Amino acid sequence: MLAQKVFLKKTKRGNIIKEVREHYLRDDIRCGHPKCQKCDLVGSVNKALLTENPISVASVCLEPHYIVVDTNIVLEHIDALESEGFCNVIILQTVLDEVRHRSSPIYKRLKDIISNPARNFWVFVNEHRKETYVERQPGESANDRNDRAIRVACAWFNKHWKEEVGAKHGKAILLSDDKANRDRAESEKISSFSSYDYVESMKDFPSLVDKLKQKDGKGDGFSKRFLFPEHLAPAQINAGIKSGRYLKGVFYQSRTSYLEGSVNVEGKDPILVQGLEHMNRSVDGDTVAVQLLKKEDWSAPLEVVLEDDGFDSGDTLDPAKKLVSESAKSKDTQLTARVVGIVRRKWRQYCGMLQSNPVKGSNRHIFVAAEKKIPKVRIETRQSDKLIGQRIIVAIDSWPRSSRYPVGHFVRALGKLGDKATENEVLLLEHDIPHSKFSDAVLECLPEMPWTITAKDKLERVDCRHLNICSVDPPGCTDIDDALHAMPLPNGNYEVGVHIADVSHFIRPGTAIDQEAANRSTTVYLTDRRIDMVPELLSSNLCSLRDDGDRFAFSCVWEMDQEANIVATRFHKSIIRSRSSMTYEDAQNRIDDKADTSDLTESLRILLKLSKLLKARRIEAGALLLASSEVRFNVDSETADPIDVQAKVMRETNSMVEEFMLAANISAATRIHQNFPDCAMLRRHPAPPASNFDPLVKAAKQQGHEIIIDSGKQLADTLNAATDAKRPYLNTMLRMIATRCMMQAVYFASGTIEEPLFRHYGLACPIYTHFTSPIRRYADVIVHRLLAVSIQADSTYAGLVDKKQTQKIAENINYRHRMAQYAGRASVNLFTHLYFRNKKRDETGYILYIRQNAIQVLIPKYGLEGTLFLNKKKRKDEEVGADTELAWHFNEDEPSVTLDGHKLSLFQKLEVQVELDSTDIQHEKLVLSLVKPAIPGYSVAPAPPLPEEEESSTSKVSQEKDGARKRKSDGSSTNDQDLKEKNKKKMKKSN
Amino acid sequence: MTELLLSESEKTFILHGVQQNFRGDGRTRSEIRPIVMETDIVSHTNGSCHLRLANTDILVGVKTELETPLPAHPDRGRIEFFVDCSANASPAFEGRGGDNLAADISRVLARSYASPEILNLKELCILPGKTCWILYVDILVLEVGGNLYDAVSMAVKAALFSTKVPVVTVSTVDGGEPELDLSDDPHKATRISVQNAPVLVSLSRIGNYCVVDSTPEEENCSSASLLFSVTPKGMLTAVKKIGGGSFQQTSIQAAAKQAVSIGVEVNDKLLQKLQQEEEMGRKREKIGFLL
């Protein structure tokens, strides 16, 4: 049977056309009941049906029943639906379609539930079943029509099952939060319940009620007084934006003050928004419309740090108002505006913890997000006793005008606060790192084990198994993605080969595994955990160039002359057999061992010799060597708690491998850019603007060194010259400061910007990409594919040669890399905190920065940077018998701070005491206090030595469970990944 | 128009019949053959009509589109006619054969609808000088069985009657660019009033008499025809002579009177039937071409 769907559509150009679609109605669409004979005609499809005898878990409806949900239930209570309590749910196509239109993230979550056979979610295609199709009536809104379709389907289920399986085997009940719909359902003799009534009666799932979304203004706790001005309607906002009355931009909450934020409007300076009323319920990340204030009302950012203190201050904005008006209307006013409407919310789920309600037994609680930029959220939960002290996830539902805080609901608990596993989870969630297990679809893409090399493979690849190939990596590395070889040629030149794991052989474009890898984009290294980009079978076995068998590789082979000039380059896919997987130390020992003259060792010596030449040339060209301290944690083998930290050692061999990787990357970049001028995936590092270097130049000047920043080369040279024999750390610290002046290196598609901008500033080369670590970086996979096409080893596909798509991938990779870096840093922080828990230590530190009220201290032993606050203290003066105030005097020009004749200036050596401040359990932080120079009344007494601690670090053979790996220091980290290509952190498989 | 071969005696028979006010198919000179008509049968269009008059078969579709009004009439919408003489309709239409006739018909229609009394084109204007609706009337001649003009005009009127113009509201005109909002209810539409829309009445002169609704044979015997566009109120909006013969002034006047009386009646009956059909509502079973 055929029906027609007629609807009007507005085209992009503004015309209105009538569309007619054919709509086929059938009578053989299954109802989903396993016992229904009539619907089983189609044959037994291996799909999860509803269960035969649904057991009611809700006391409101004790008969066996199946739940038909209304769209509003899915949209608002998806968190509840995701929990185990809901089974035997029928999702009508009407609902599914509506959800898809309204919210794609929720649609995806719903699809995930449906695809889980254990949950018995059944999709009934009611729109195509003859009996349940309804046509829209004149004067009926689309919503009403859908509601009617849902009711018609319910009624049909009841009738159909009565006839086919008997009424006792189940009936359909409707779950809807729409009162009108429920009333109509009742009048049509369909049982219906509101989500709240139904869920509340599910006695076995008491926590479910908390997961229900809070309705606007529901409950009596909210005063009806409106605190905030109304938001404008979307139409008004659009009109205002068009006419220029309002500006649209993204709202960023200030990190330091909860009372202000800024709005970034394209083509304008950031606009200040001050005061809760003016911020008008915007949350960090929302796209908002703002109206500029009159010039005389413009303001300056607050200079004080403000935190929304402890308790639920009730629904009032008064204290906040006062604070704002108190802020001096200084002369540096800037554009100031107020938020008039929200264009798009960017609410997500937030990690944090519950602040207990002082009223015992109350269900209302305040949730404090771990991220300081997120306002507190009101939630309702009955499990507060259980949840206090746990990390939980909460979603914001709405922010009513009458409420001081947004209203949300509890989603799930992550675990105990301060627990390592919980904190790791928080870290991953907060940095948006996909860390779920690989799905079955992805795992199905893996080759079958045991994996063998076929004759066809041999035909397509160059057999390099006779070469003395070896890999050099940090200890404990399992994802070895590069190996090297070198040998002298008869003409006096050398052949040098870099062999990279051929990941693109296993990850074919468009497959599930490819999509997953593209989404993850990078392997994330946390201190005690590695989140792989590809499943472990690939990362640690098939693609890992271990010395235990034949592997596929993508080889870049050069002919180099004695001066390490590249005479010829060729790329090919190959089969290799690594002779040895060495650590840097192994390789170094072999090279140093004069007696060892084996082929392998000889080739290592050639490599080392050539790498030194390469490095010298690179430095000559102006490449920067930027310092950053690396730390590794010695981890207790049982508890996996860190018991000691040590800085990392650099060996000659590190730099040897690094040089060849850089060279391979440059060769690959040149090649793909030649062949694909438009869509090559490259990496660039923009030169920083001169103003970025101000702190560096200033700091060096104070130390009597001049830093010239006109070119990378001059910068490198002057940095090299800035040494002081007496202070070996001076140079390192200058380099650390230099690192922070740098820009971020990014991936891009070559067709999107002009060629001169391709330059990589840090490496001083005109073109660069990443080719050498396809196991842990997706960019390299793309580069491999491009290269494979360019040497005709593989075929191309549409997405590969599409500049826009490549750029899109590049942007995702950039985002993920940034997040991975932040997460890695956060992870080191976490471990540092664990290490310092219950410890108080005196350490040697150096002053890195001086500010008015604080100095930044670098503690090289841990690669740790901490802030030493120069608070005012009172000293009891015994002679006078009164308190004298100790205040530091700040000299901005030098810069230095002075107190009582003790002057602290840049790079000065200090003794500081480090301990962990756990007063704010959500944000533990390290606190430094001054020990030396000893200022009476100000410095603290040296910490008592910890004898048992000393012992443990010397006698206990601690297992190095994993190399620590994040450069702690590089706040504005730049090209670290390039420079430290090889210093990537790998992890030993936990035993 | 159509090449139809008639012998002299056949022509004489037709001529004598007309003289005696008793035509070959039993009609009098001013009688019209039965008409079968159905509106709203092409779902892609905003309004449509299928009309069959003896063997003459016409399909009319009306589409609405948004455009800028003409500078001369910034506050009015427009109506445009386009006729396609299908080669199926008659062997003479093969190739470009039908083009002249088609242009002729659309010209006559345009002229007969040109009077401002007929359609309230101001209703079709959304934003003066900016946006208005244009009614594109597409006429498809599927078969020719005589009296083509009249049949086409009736089908056009019926199609316009059934036309549903989408409801569009102007939400904002800020910044010079209007923002049009479309109602999401596909059933919500405005109708066009065809209370004053004309029909064409063509009178073919056979001998000394004029006959209405001539068959192809009669057309073959006719030396000339007069075409009147008659509104329901009896007003003439267009007159056209077709064919090589000539008319006396007095006979034109007589023919005009005859045409007005026939035209008023046709208009009347047509509207009556359209209303009847409308009352059958959306559930009416559609017949289409399976007549």
Side-chain angles (χ1 to χ4, degrees):
Chain A
M1 205 177 125
L2 176 75
Q4 278 180 330
K5 266 189 174 167
V6 180
F7 54 94
L8 292 165
K9 198 172 96 176
K10 202 168 143 192
T11 62
K12 264 192 199 144
R13 292 179 49 224
N15 222 330
I16 287 164
I17 52 168
K18 193 173 175 187
E19 285 242 356
V20 180
R21 297 254 168 90
E22 284 179 349
H23 189 86
Y24 293 89
L25 300 181
R26 319 171 52 126
D27 54 6
D28 58 352
I29 289 171
R30 302 183 84 176
C31 64
H33 199 293
K35 283 186 84 176
C36 177
Q37 296 293 318
K38 196 172 176 188
C39 291
D40 211 27
L41 294 174
V42 208
S44 53
V45 192
N46 263 349
K47 241 189 133 182
L49 296 169
L50 300 164
T51 41
E52 202 170 302
N53 280 311
I55 298 152
S56 171
V57 288
S59 54
V60 284
C61 179
L62 289 168
E63 304 165 74
H65 61 265
Y66 303 100
I67 306 164
V68 177
V69 288
D70 195 355
T71 317
N72 51 39
I73 300 281
V74 181
L75 287 174
E76 284 172 15
H77 306 308
I78 184 77
D79 290 327
L81 282 180
E82 271 174 347
S83 81
E84 302 289 317
F86 277 98
C87 280
N88 282 310
V89 176
I90 300 172
I91 306 285
L92 299 177
Q93 192 201 6
T94 314
V95 173
L96 201 59
D97 287 349
E98 220 179 332
V99 170
R100 195 177 60 197
H101 282 132
R102 300 273 279 274
S103 160
S104 55
I106 294 183
Y107 176 71
K108 197 175 169 285
R109 287 166 72 185
L110 181 61
K111 290 291 268 184
D112 286 345
I113 310 174
I114 292 167
S115 62
N116 180 357
R119 301 292 305 277
N120 298 103
F121 270 53
W122 171 253
V123 177
F124 179 67
V125 192
N126 66 321
E127 297 281 358
H128 287 277
R129 172 112 201 172
K130 202 170 77 189
E131 295 91 335
T132 53
Y133 172 71
V134 299
E135 210 174 336
R136 189 163 159 186
Q137 302 293 340
E140 191 177 42
S141 76
N143 240 328
D144 290 345
R145 184 244 162 226
N146 288 344
D147 287 349
R148 190 158 57 91
I150 293 167
R151 291 196 306 271
V152 167
C154 288
W156 178 77
F157 277 128
N158 288 337
K159 181 171 161 279
H160 177 77
W161 288 334
K162 202 171 173 183
E163 287 164 7
E164 301 302 325
V165 293
K168 67 172 193 303
H169 287 294
K171 61 171 194 166
I173 63 153
L174 174 66
L175 223 54
S176 173
D177 280 350
D178 180 351
K179 181 88 172 41
N181 195 14
R182 283 207 309 272
D183 290 345
R184 287 213 191 95
E186 290 299 343
S187 67
E188 287 163 26
K189 297 202 169 48
I190 302 162
S191 323
S192 64
F193 302 98
S194 75
S195 59
Y196 189 80
D197 292 344
Y198 189 86
V199 170
E200 204 190 28
S201 77
M202 293 165 79
K203 291 288 174 246
D204 298 343
F205 300 92
S207 70
L208 260 180
V209 174
D210 296 343
K211 296 196 176 186
L212 291 180
K213 185 169 172 173
Q214 300 294 309
K215 273 272 159 47
D216 277 20
K218 176 185 161 272
D220 32 43
F222 304 110
S223 60
K224 285 288 155 253
R225 216 158 40 86
F226 291 134
L227 294 171
F228 293 101
E230 212 175 347
H231 283 155
L232 296 182
Q236 286 169 296
I237 294 176
N238 279 337
I241 289 169
K242 265 186 190 163
S243 66
R245 206 146 32 99
Y246 307 141
L247 297 165
K248 188 172 95 170
V250 179
F251 176 82
Y252 295 104
Q253 179 83 42
S254 152
R255 267 174 205 282
T256 52
S257 159
Y258 75 102
L259 288 178
E260 65 181 12
S262 63
V263 173
N264 276 3
V265 178
E266 229 177 79
K268 275 211 160 60
D269 291 337
I271 297 171
L272 183 71
V273 183
Q274 217 168 43
L276 290 175
E277 206 174 325
H278 281 174
M279 280 157 48
N280 200 356
R281 295 169 280 158
S282 342
V283 177
D284 186 67
D286 290 347
T287 308
V288 298
V290 294
Q291 184 177 28
L292 289 181
L293 300 179
K294 283 192 223 105
K295 189 139 191 197
E296 54 266 32
D297 294 334
W298 287 6
S299 180
L302 298 174
E303 274 157 16
V304 281
V305 175
L306 285 176
E307 275 177 37
D308 199 358
D309 46 9
F311 297 101
D312 188 347
S313 46
D315 286 318
T316 167
L317 303 179
D318 295 342
K321 268 184 195 154
K322 207 169 130 206
L323 275 170
V324 173
S325 59
E326 271 172 9
S327 90
K329 297 265 183 211
S330 63
K331 51 200 176 299
D332 309 322
T333 56
Q334 64 180 80
L335 284 179
T336 309
R338 64 185 187 93
V339 173
V340 293
I342 307 285
V343 179
R344 199 168 40 250
R345 287 289 191 191
K346 214 190 153 197
W347 288 346
R348 50 182 178 89
Q349 298 182 338
Y350 302 97
C351 295
M353 52 178 291
L354 213 58
Q355 200 176 54
S356 61
N357 192 331
V359 184
K360 252 292 181 253
S362 168
N363 287 342
R364 287 171 205 291
H365 297 276
I366 287 281
F367 162 85
V368 186
E371 219 175 315
K372 284 191 177 149
K373 297 198 281 180
I374 305 301
K376 295 179 179 177
V377 182
R378 283 194 163 124
I379 64 166
E380 237 176 90
T381 174
R382 297 172 190 193
Q383 343 164 45
S384 59
D385 298 343
K386 216 176 84 197
L387 293 182
I388 286 187
Q390 293 215 33
R391 287 275 189 187
I392 61 172
I393 294 185
V394 157
I396 300 186
D397 298 329
S398 64
W399 196 337
R401 278 177 68 198
S402 54
S403 167
R404 163 81 169 74
Y405 299 114
V407 180
H409 67 270
F410 163 76
V411 179
R412 69 190 164 101
L414 294 174
K416 214 175 137 287
L417 190 84
D419 196 48
K420 207 162 69 234
T422 313
E423 298 297 331
N424 261 339
E425 181 81 12
V426 171
L427 213 131
L428 292 171
L429 283 168
E430 284 291 308
H431 293 93
D432 190 17
I433 291 166
H435 61 284
S436 51
K437 275 194 192 125
F438 287 102
S439 68
D440 291 345
V442 170
L443 295 177
E444 265 167 34
C445 300
L446 294 175
E448 258 173 54
M449 292 303 278
W451 171 78
T452 47
I453 297 176
T454 63
K456 187 165 162 276
D457 290 332
K458 281 186 187 154
L459 213 64
E460 285 168 347
R461 291 170 181 270
V462 179
D463 195 342
C464 295
R465 281 176 286 192
H466 59 282
L467 295 170
N468 281 318
I469 294 172
C470 63
S471 63
V472 186
D473 285 284
C477 175
T478 58
D479 49 353
I480 305 174
D481 38 22
D482 46 69
L484 295 158
H485 86 271
M487 59 181 189
L489 291 174
N491 63 2
N493 288 350
Y494 296 109
E495 182 187 278
V496 179
V498 169
H499 307 273
I500 307 297
D502 192 5
V503 176
S504 61
H505 175 84
F506 297 100
I507 300 184
R508 306 303 301 165
T511 54
I513 196 170
D514 180 45
Q515 281 159 5
E516 183 67 31
N519 180 34
R520 294 189 179 212
S521 285
T522 176
T523 295
V524 181
Y525 296 93
L526 301 184
T527 311
D528 61 341
R529 201 173 152 194
R530 183 178 84 195
I531 293 109
D532 280 323
M533 181 180 85
V534 294
E536 195 174 354
L537 178 68
L538 289 184
S539 66
S540 304
N541 188 354
L542 296 185
C543 290
S544 181
L545 304 177
R546 298 195 302 211
D547 54 2
D548 60 355
D550 296 344
R551 292 283 189 282
F552 285 164
F554 205 130
S555 306
C556 169
V557 182
W558 300 288
E559 185 181 338
M560 284 190 182
D561 63 14
Q562 293 283 347
E563 296 305 311
N565 292 310
I566 295 171
V567 181
T569 311
R570 67 174 198 275
F571 290 96
H572 57 72
K573 293 213 167 187
S574 49
I575 302 175
I576 62 160
R577 174 158 203 147
S578 173
R579 295 286 182 275
S580 168
S581 303
M582 284 177 271
T583 63
Y584 292 124
E585 198 175 353
D586 294 343
Q588 192 71 49
N589 291 345
R590 264 176 184 261
I591 293 170
D592 293 344
D593 181 5
K594 295 274 180 324
D596 188 345
T597 53
S598 66
D599 283 352
L600 194 56
T601 310
E602 282 305 321
S603 73
L604 280 174
R605 287 187 184 125
I606 297 173
L607 286 169
L608 185 62
K609 182 183 109 181
L610 292 173
S611 78
K612 283 179 178 164
L613 291 165
L614 283 171
K615 186 168 184 179
R617 205 154 54 226
R618 206 162 56 80
I619 288 169
E620 186 57 30
L624 300 171
L625 291 181
L626 297 176
S628 57
S629 45
E630 299 237 354
V631 290
R632 66 188 306 151
F633 285 88
N634 287 347
V635 175
D636 187 288
S637 55
E638 274 145 42
T639 60
D641 285 333
I643 50 176
D644 199 7
V645 281
Q646 65 184 66
K648 226 170 174 175
V649 199
M650 285 289 277
R651 291 193 175 79
E652 257 182 341
T653 40
N654 291 46
S655 121
M656 169 185 97
V657 178
E658 181 184 325
E659 285 309 318
F660 286 107
M661 294 307 133
L662 289 177
N665 285 335
I666 295 170
S667 291
T670 318
R671 177 69 183 250
I672 58 171
H673 182 240
Q674 248 168 31
N675 283 286
F676 304 94
D678 240 19
C679 59
M681 171 80 75
L682 300 178
R683 185 171 173 85
R684 72 196 170 92
H685 180 214
S691 61
N692 277 20
F693 286 114
D694 284 352
L696 173 66
V697 175
K698 221 170 170 181
K701 204 167 191 177
Q702 200 225 344
Q703 299 300 313
H705 296 287
E706 194 189 1
I707 301 286
I708 306 171
I709 50 159
D710 300 342
S711 73
K713 166 99 178 99
Q714 277 166 316
L715 176 63
D717 287 350
T718 46
L719 264 181
N720 287 342
T723 52
D724 187 341
K726 278 178 272 169
R727 288 191 289 171
Y729 265 106
L730 173 65
N731 191 266
T732 315
M733 289 200 286
L734 279 176
R735 285 180 199 278
M736 283 176 66
I737 297 175
T739 312
R740 281 160 213 209
C741 306
M742 296 295 161
M743 308 280 283
Q744 188 96 27
V746 289
Y747 296 103
F748 66 102
S750 55
T752 54
I753 56 168
E754 283 170 42
E755 200 165 334
L757 295 176
F758 289 7
R759 221 182 138 66
H760 197 291
Y761 179 79
L763 296 173
C765 60
I767 187 165
Y768 192 68
T769 191
H770 273 164
F771 162 70
T772 51
S773 297
I775 300 179
R776 58 187 183 90
R777 286 189 308 231
Y778 190 70
D780 302 51
V781 177
I782 297 283
V783 170
H784 274 231
R785 287 184 188 154
L786 289 166
L787 263 184
V789 173
S790 100
I791 58 166
Q792 276 129 48
D794 207 339
S795 55
T796 178
Y797 60 96
L800 190 64
V801 290
D802 182 346
K803 148 171 113 180
K804 277 194 191 131
Q805 210 151 327
T806 309
Q807 184 62 23
K808 231 168 108 187
I809 294 173
E811 272 158 19
N812 182 43
I813 300 177
N814 289 334
Y815 168 72
R816 296 282 188 209
H817 271 222
R818 210 165 51 242
M819 282 307 165
Q821 262 177 23
Y822 293 160
R825 252 177 250 156
S827 175
V828 171
N829 259 338
L830 173 65
F831 265 67
T832 316
H833 290 169
L834 283 176
Y835 175 68
F836 279 104
R837 184 162 288 163
N838 309 323
K839 279 193 196 110
K840 204 183 223 182
R841 300 204 130 186
D842 290 349
E843 301 293 347
T844 310
Y846 298 87
I847 300 179
L848 208 51
Y849 287 104
I850 298 184
R851 304 245 184 277
Q852 181 147 17
N853 66 342
I855 50 178
Q856 193 86 359
V857 180
L858 171 77
I859 303 169
K861 185 174 170 194
Y862 305 117
L864 179 83
E865 247 184 83
T867 311
L868 173 61
F869 285 100
L870 303 173
N871 300 327
K872 286 179 184 165
K873 270 192 191 175
K874 294 216 167 128
R875 172 170 59 180
K876 202 141 198 141
D877 216 320
E878 267 147 37
E879 288 167 32
V880 191
D883 291 352
T884 38
E885 195 170 80
L886 296 173
W888 290 87
H889 175 70
F890 176 59
N891 182 343
E892 196 179 353
D893 302 321
E894 261 185 289
S896 70
V897 281
T898 327
L899 174 71
D900 260 17
H902 295 275
K903 180 167 159 187
L904 301 181
S905 50
L906 222 46
F907 305 127
Q908 189 177 331
K909 189 171 171 182
L910 301 173
E911 282 289 302
V912 287
Q913 193 168 81
V914 188
E915 65 183 314
L916 189 68
D917 174 12
S918 303
T919 42
D920 179 359
I921 36 181
Q922 191 152 214
H923 302 279
E924 289 184 320
K925 56 187 176 215
L926 288 176
V927 175
L928 306 188
S929 24
L930 193 63
V931 178
K932 259 185 218 169
I935 301 171
Y938 193 86
S939 324
V940 296
L946 304 164
E948 76 278 26
E949 196 59 43
E950 292 306 317
E951 190 190 331
S952 75
S953 57
T954 46
S955 64
K956 194 169 191 172
V957 184
S958 60
Q959 188 200 3
E960 288 183 5
K961 187 155 186 193
D962 90 83
R965 11 349 230 1
K966 280 294 158 174
R967 292 149 288 275
K968 265 270 325 164
S969 51
D970 43 0
S972 60
S973 146
T974 61
N975 47 341
D976 47 353
Q977 275 167 331
D978 309 316
L979 290 172
K980 308 247 159 184
E981 176 65 25
K982 216 31 217 185
N983 292 346
K984 63 198 175 195
K985 328 312 148 51
K986 308 205 172 176
M987 160 183 288
K988 197 183 278 176
K989 223 184 200 165
S990 63
N991 34 351
Chain B
M1 54 189 82
T2 349
E3 280 315 305
L4 187 75
L5 294 174
L6 282 186
S7 69
E8 272 311 308
S9 53
E10 277 174 300
K11 283 186 177 175
T12 319
F13 175 72
I14 290 169
L15 193 73
H16 288 172
V18 168
Q19 269 168 8
Q20 289 168 27
N21 203 8
F22 192 77
R23 291 152 77 181
D25 47 11
R27 288 184 288 161
T28 63
R29 287 192 291 265
S30 50
E31 236 175 299
I32 294 175
R33 289 169 290 180
I35 297 168
V36 179
M37 187 175 73
E38 185 179 19
T39 60
D40 211 11
I41 60 161
V42 186
S43 50
H44 299 76
T45 61
N46 296 72
S48 58
C49 172
H50 174 227
L51 179 139
R52 214 174 153 83
L53 191 164
N55 277 336
T56 303
D57 206 347
I58 313 286
L59 183 65
V60 176
V62 181
K63 288 210 128 191
T64 59
E65 262 179 52
L66 284 176
E67 266 176 49
T68 2
L70 294 177
H73 303 288
D75 56 346
R76 284 191 204 167
R78 271 180 284 159
I79 180 164
E80 282 185 8
F81 298 94
F82 178 79
V83 183
D84 182 24
C85 290
S86 150
N88 293 346
S90 155
F93 294 164
E94 217 172 308
R96 309 188 65 89
D99 286 7
N100 284 338
L101 177 68
D104 240 22
I105 299 175
S106 53
R107 231 177 357 251
V108 173
L109 284 170
R111 237 171 49 209
S112 61
Y113 274 86
S115 161
E117 309 262 316
I118 290 174
L119 291 180
N120 187 359
L121 293 174
K122 287 190 180 168
E123 276 181 358
L124 295 178
C125 184
I126 296 163
L127 269 177
K130 286 257 179 246
T131 328
C132 69
W133 287 111
I134 295 202
L135 303 176
Y136 284 107
V137 183
D138 292 305
I139 299 145
L140 193 59
V141 179
L142 299 169
E143 200 175 343
V144 179
N147 202 16
L148 185 59
Y149 287 87
D150 298 16
V152 166
S153 75
M154 284 185 259
V156 166
K157 185 167 173 172
L160 286 175
F161 176 86
S162 72
T163 298
K164 295 179 183 76
V165 183
V167 177
V168 166
T169 46
V170 184
S171 53
T172 47
V173 208
D174 269 349
E177 273 309 299
E179 181 78 36
L180 298 182
D181 282 340
L182 180 66
S183 153
D184 82 317
D185 185 352
H187 298 293
K188 208 170 158 191
T190 48
R191 305 294 285 266
I192 298 164
S193 164
V194 290
Q195 289 303 323
N196 289 323
V199 293
L200 295 176
V201 177
S202 45
L203 295 172
S204 311
R205 197 182 66 182
I206 298 171
N208 289 322
Y209 298 94
C210 287
V211 296
V212 77
D213 188 19
S214 47
T215 62
E217 292 79 13
E218 284 166 346
E219 273 168 10
N220 205 286
C221 302
S222 156
S223 56
S225 317
L226 273 176
L227 195 60
F228 297 94
S229 145
V230 188
T231 68
K233 287 181 184 149
M235 197 171 71
L236 292 179
T237 56
V239 183
K240 181 185 164 72
K241 190 191 71 120
I242 299 164
S246 58
F247 281 93
Q248 297 255 322
Q249 200 187 351
T250 47
S251 57
I252 293 181
Q253 278 168 354
K257 266 189 196 136
Q258 192 189 353
V260 167
S261 69
I262 294 168
V264 169
E265 194 192 341
V266 169
N267 268 318
D268 198 38
K269 289 240 166 81
L270 188 65
L271 272 178
Q272 219 177 325
K273 286 289 170 198
L274 285 171
Q275 232 107 47
Q276 260 178 33
E277 191 187 33
E278 177 80 5
E279 276 157 22
M280 291 160 82
R282 287 189 334 115
K283 289 284 163 229
R284 164 171 70 90
E285 201 182 325
K286 294 192 177 161
I287 292 162
F289 290 83
L290 303 168
L291 213 55

